[in-house]
Amino acid sequence: MTETRKNYLMSLGVAVGTAIVGVVAQTVGAPWLLAIVAAVLAAPGPTRKLLTTFEFATAVLIILTLATAVGTLDYALGVFDSLWFKGLMALMGLSSLLCLLFRYSSGKGIPYVLIHLSIIVILVGGAMKEQLKQTGMVHLREGEATNQLQLLKDGELSSEVLRLPFSIRLDRFKVEFYESDLKLYVFRHQEEGPAAELPAKEGATTTVDGVTIEFVALQDHPYVPTPGHPPIQVKMARILVDGKAGLVLMGRPVINGKLALVLDEKNGEPKSYQSTLTILDENGQELNTRSVVVNDPLIHGGWWLYQSNWDPRDLSYSGILLVNDPGLYVSIAGLVMLVLGTLAKIRFRKRNREGVLP
Amino acid sequence: MMYDVLFGSYGVAAHLFGLAVILAFRRKELPASTLRYAGIAAIAVGLLAALYMMVEAWTETGQPPFKTLYQSLIFFSATTALVFLFTGFRSAVMGLLTALFVLATLAYGYMKQDAEAVQLPPALQSAWFIPHVVVYFLGYSALFVSFVASILYFVFPQERDLPSAQLFGTLRLDLDHFTYRIVLFGYAMLSAGLILGALWAKFAWGDWWSWDPKENWALITWLVYTAYLHFRLTRRLGPRGLAWLSIIGFLAVMFTYLGVNYLPSAQQALHSYSMQ
C-alpha cells in the first residue's frame, strides 16, 4: 500500500472515530469528551503526525463537504446541531493549527499563516457563539418599558426570562408602505383569482380568451351613491374592449361576456418598520435613544437590538430581538483575516518563466 | 428594446466565434483572427447593453437591480463578459463557450422574468447588499472561465499540438496554470462574498451564520475550491484530476446560485429569490 493511500485510510479512521465519539458524547451528554479526543490527537505521536499530513487535511475537507450537503438536503437529520458534525469541524481547526505549528516554513508566506489561522479563529468564535450566545425577545407597546427578556431556545420562545441590566422603552413604532397599486383585474366566470391584471398605464394591453382589453386613462368620476346626496369622487378607468370604449368604476365589477373586469387598489408591501427605542439604566436614567430599523440594530453593552416583529392589527406593538454573542468580534477578526489572506494570494501579473498566460 | 440588443449581441458573438473556430481549424489564420476581434466587440456591446438595462432599472425603481432572478442573471451576463474580456479574450473557443453560456443564462432568466418590478423588502435594504452581490458574481464569472478552461483541457491537453495558434491567440496557453490563476481570483471573491454575507446577516438577522441552505452551499463551494487549491499547490493531483475538481467546483457554484431554490429545505430559506 502506498504512503498516500495509507494516510487517507488512517485519516478516514480518525474522522469516523471522532464522529462516533461525537455521537456518544451527545447521547451521554458529555461534550467535553470531544476535547479529550482533540488533546489525544494533538499529543506528540503518530496521530499528530498524521494530522499534519496533506492527506488528513483534504480528507477532512471532503468529509465536511459531503456532511454539509447531506445536512442541507434534509434538516430533519439535525446534522448542524450534532456533536459529530462539530467534532469534524474541530478536526478541521486542529488540522489547520497543527499545519501552522509544524509545517510552516518562511517560503509559504504570510497568506498561508493568515488563511490557516483565520480558520482556527473563526471556529473559536463560532464555538463561543454556540456556548455563550443569549437571544431573546421583548414585546412592547408604545410608551411601555421593560428589562425582562423572554429567552429563545433553539429558535423557539421559551418561558425562561432573563433580567437585563438595563430597560428598553418603545417610544414610537412606525410602518411605512410602498405606494399602493391600482390595477384592472380580469376574472373568468367562476374561476378563483384574476386571469390577468392590467397596470393603470396608458396603452397597457392584455388578451384573455380572445378578448383584448386596453387601458386608456384613469380619471375621477363624480358618483352619486344615493339620489339627493352630493356626489363623491370615485376613480374610474376608461378602457377599450376589442376596440370599443368602456368604463370601469373603482370597486364595481363590469361583466363582459364570460369575463368580469374589476378596478381595484391593493396596499403596497411594507417598506420599513421603525421603532424608536430608549435605553434606561436601573435608576430610570436615559442612556441612549435611537430609532431601530431592519438591517440597522442598536448596540448597547454587548447586546444587539433588532427590529424583528410587528402586528398588523396592533400598530403600537413592536417585537425587538436581542442578541448577545461574546464570540462575535473573534469571528469577525477571523473572517477579515481569511479575506486578507485570500486576496493576498491573487496574482494579477505574470510572474516567472512560465510565460504561457493568455 | 434593450433586451433584444443584449440577447442579440451574444447571438452575434457566438456566430462570429463559431466561424473563427472553424476557420482556425482549417488553418485560415487571418480571417479567424479578424472574426475573433469582431466577436470580442459583440461581447463588449452585450456588456454595455446589460449595464444600460441595470442603470435604467435602477433609476426607474430607485432600487439596486439585483432583486429578482431575472435582474441578477442580467448582471451575471455583465460580470461574465467582463471577466472574459480580461482573461479569455485571446481564445475563440473560449469566446464561443462564453457567448453560449450567457445566451443560456439569459434565456433562463427570460423564462423566469418578473411580471412587475418587485418592491424591495426591508431585509434587502442594506448597504451590504450591493458589495455582497457584486463580489459574488465576479467570483462566479471567474469560476465560469476557469470551468471552461478545465473542459478545454480535456479537448486540448497541453502536450498535444494545437490545431491552430489562433484557437488560443498567439501564445500557447497552459490551461492548467490558467485555471489555477483564475481560481485564485474566484476563490478570493468567494471568501469575500461569504464574509460580506456573514456581516450582513449579523446586521439583518442577528446571527452571522445560521446554516441556511444558501449559506451551506456557499460553504460547500468554498470547500471544493479549498480542496482544489490544496491539491494544486502541493501538486498531489495531476492536471487531469485538477480539471475535474474545477469542473465539480463550478457545478457547485451553479447549484448554489440556481439549484438551492429547488431544494425542499429552501422553502424557509432566507435567500430564495422570488420565483415566479
Side-chain angles (χ1 to χ4, degrees):
Chain A
M1 192 162 21
T2 64
E3 187 74 12
T4 306
R5 196 166 290 178
K6 200 174 115 203
N7 279 347
Y8 269 124
L9 274 176
M10 280 163 46
S11 303
L12 187 64
V14 169
V16 170
T18 307
I20 290 172
V21 174
V23 172
V24 172
Q26 193 148 26
T27 319
V28 301
W32 42 265
L33 274 179
L34 278 174
I36 293 179
V37 171
V40 171
L41 290 173
T47 49
R48 183 170 91 186
K49 205 164 158 246
L50 177 73
L51 262 59
T52 61
T53 61
F54 171 82
E55 289 82 359
F56 184 78
T58 45
V60 168
L61 279 177
I62 292 165
I63 293 168
L64 260 181
T65 307
L66 297 175
T68 308
V70 169
T72 310
L73 207 57
D74 187 2
Y75 277 81
L77 295 171
V79 170
F80 306 113
D81 297 320
S82 71
L83 274 180
W84 66 263
F85 188 75
K86 282 165 194 160
L88 288 178
M89 285 201 290
L91 282 188
M92 182 165 85
L94 198 58
S95 156
S96 306
L97 178 68
L98 295 176
C99 285
L100 263 185
L101 292 177
F102 299 108
R103 282 183 79 98
Y104 175 71
S105 58
S106 57
K108 291 187 162 153
I110 293 170
Y112 177 92
V113 178
L114 270 179
I115 293 172
H116 288 85
L117 196 57
S118 77
I119 301 300
I120 302 160
V121 175
I122 291 169
L123 289 173
V124 168
M128 287 172 75
K129 180 181 86 165
E130 198 69 30
Q131 291 301 312
L132 305 170
K133 185 174 90 162
Q134 287 179 304
T135 322
M137 291 280 299
V138 293
H139 309 278
L140 292 167
R141 281 189 180 71
E142 281 176 339
E144 287 178 354
T146 184
N147 63 356
Q148 307 286 309
L149 181 69
Q150 188 184 2
L151 289 177
L152 282 153
K153 299 275 175 201
D154 303 322
E156 303 280 325
L157 276 176
S158 70
S159 53
E160 215 177 309
V161 171
L162 180 82
R163 203 173 149 269
L164 294 165
F166 54 86
S167 293
I168 306 158
R169 189 178 69 210
L170 176 66
D171 297 329
R172 213 162 98 74
F173 178 68
K174 200 171 81 184
V175 192
E176 273 178 44
F177 293 89
Y178 282 103
E179 268 179 40
S180 57
D181 233 358
L182 192 74
K183 278 184 186 164
L184 187 73
Y185 295 88
V186 185
F187 290 86
R188 284 199 189 92
H189 184 58
Q190 288 193 335
E191 196 178 284
E192 222 174 292
E197 39 185 77
L198 207 58
K201 262 191 207 158
E202 192 190 330
T205 314
T206 186
T207 305
V208 180
D209 302 337
V211 180
T212 303
I213 299 150
E214 185 184 337
F215 199 94
V216 179
L218 188 73
Q219 40 189 234
D220 283 329
H221 178 75
Y223 174 68
V224 182
T226 333
H229 279 74
I232 51 170
Q233 296 296 321
V234 174
K235 287 211 170 68
M236 179 187 76
R238 291 202 300 144
I239 55 169
L240 292 173
V241 180
D242 283 337
K244 273 184 269 172
L247 299 173
V248 183
L249 275 179
M250 179 84 146
R252 306 204 81 193
V254 171
I255 311 295
N256 187 299
K258 292 208 160 177
L259 300 179
L261 310 178
V262 178
L263 185 67
D264 198 6
E265 196 164 16
K266 286 233 168 100
N267 278 337
E269 295 289 314
K271 185 179 186 182
S272 77
Y273 312 98
Q274 184 177 34
S275 294
T276 307
L277 299 178
T278 297
I279 305 290
L280 309 150
D281 70 7
E282 310 232 325
N283 307 317
Q285 196 80 33
E286 293 186 8
L287 299 175
N288 192 359
T289 297
R290 230 197 79 183
S291 71
V292 171
V293 296
V294 176
N295 264 313
D296 188 13
L298 187 162
I299 303 167
H300 180 82
W303 286 94
W304 291 47
L305 283 68
Y306 296 87
Q307 175 66 54
S308 157
N309 206 358
W310 74 301
D311 183 354
R313 286 155 304 173
D314 180 0
L315 291 178
S316 76
Y317 162 86
S318 177
I320 306 294
L321 174 76
L322 274 83
V323 180
N324 186 351
D325 172 7
L328 176 66
Y329 293 102
V330 178
S331 315
I332 290 178
L335 294 168
V336 170
M337 282 159 65
L338 175 65
V339 175
L340 293 179
T342 53
L343 285 176
K345 287 236 33 126
I346 300 178
R347 299 273 172 267
F348 282 110
R349 293 174 151 260
K350 80 171 165 192
R351 270 224 129 180
N352 42 34
R353 57 210 129 68
E354 287 172 283
V356 282
L357 298 169
Chain B
M1 180 135 166
M2 205 36 83
Y3 186 84
D4 299 328
V5 178
L6 176 66
F7 203 81
S9 57
Y10 285 100
V12 169
H15 282 87
L16 291 168
F17 284 125
L19 269 176
V21 171
I22 292 169
L23 289 174
F25 270 107
R26 296 192 176 167
R27 302 195 178 264
K28 299 202 163 116
E29 308 265 325
L30 191 66
S33 180
T34 312
L35 283 170
R36 184 167 57 83
Y37 281 117
I40 291 170
I43 296 240
V45 171
L47 170 62
L48 292 176
L51 293 177
Y52 180 88
M53 286 172 76
M54 290 171 59
V55 170
E56 196 185 30
W58 203 333
T59 45
E60 203 172 280
T61 61
Q63 296 170 345
F66 309 127
K67 170 61 191 85
T68 65
L69 188 65
Y70 173 66
Q71 290 180 323
S72 83
L73 283 162
I74 287 175
F75 180 57
F76 189 38
S77 81
T79 52
T80 306
L82 200 66
V83 172
F84 168 77
L85 292 175
F86 271 97
T87 59
F89 64 96
R90 283 174 199 273
S91 157
V93 182
M94 221 170 253
L96 175 63
L97 294 176
T98 304
L100 290 176
F101 175 73
V102 172
L103 282 173
T105 53
L106 286 176
Y108 180 74
Y110 195 75
M111 272 168 17
K112 301 272 176 193
Q113 197 177 12
D114 11 291
E116 56 191 299
V118 173
Q119 295 165 335
L120 209 58
L124 288 185
Q125 298 162 16
S126 165
W128 300 99
F129 184 29
I130 294 170
H132 173 67
V133 174
V134 169
V135 163
Y136 253 124
F137 277 31
L138 276 175
Y140 284 7
S141 295
L143 295 169
F144 164 71
V145 172
S146 66
F147 160 76
V148 170
S150 301
I151 287 185
L152 289 181
Y153 178 83
F154 290 108
V155 187
F156 310 109
Q158 61 202 126
E159 297 80 16
R160 257 180 38 202
D161 209 20
L162 299 176
S164 163
Q166 281 305 333
L167 282 175
F168 294 104
T170 46
L171 289 168
R172 188 175 299 178
L173 188 62
D174 179 345
L175 285 168
D176 175 53
H177 187 76
F178 180 79
T179 304
Y180 163 64
R181 284 184 14 130
I182 296 183
V183 167
L184 272 185
F185 174 76
Y187 184 72
M189 293 300 113
L190 288 189
S191 306
L194 202 67
I195 271 67
L196 286 166
L199 291 173
W200 180 10
K202 178 63 195 168
F203 278 89
W205 302 314
D207 200 341
W208 57 271
W209 193 267
S210 46
W211 301 107
D212 160 273
K214 196 90 167 182
E215 285 174 1
N216 292 353
W217 270 93
L219 176 67
I220 288 169
T221 308
W222 188 86
L223 287 170
V224 173
Y225 282 107
T226 305
Y228 170 92
L229 288 173
H230 277 83
F231 281 108
R232 178 60 171 69
L233 287 162
T234 55
R235 302 264 181 198
R236 296 290 179 122
L237 269 184
R240 278 182 76 86
L242 289 169
W244 272 118
L245 254 185
S246 148
I247 288 169
I248 293 170
F250 187 69
L251 294 180
V253 165
M254 279 292 97
F255 190 79
T256 307
Y257 178 21
L258 299 172
V260 168
N261 291 315
Y262 297 106
L263 280 178
S265 49
Q267 302 312 318
Q268 318 90 309
L270 303 161
H271 274 90
S272 291
Y273 285 102
S274 46
M275 305 286 280
Q276 306 242 352

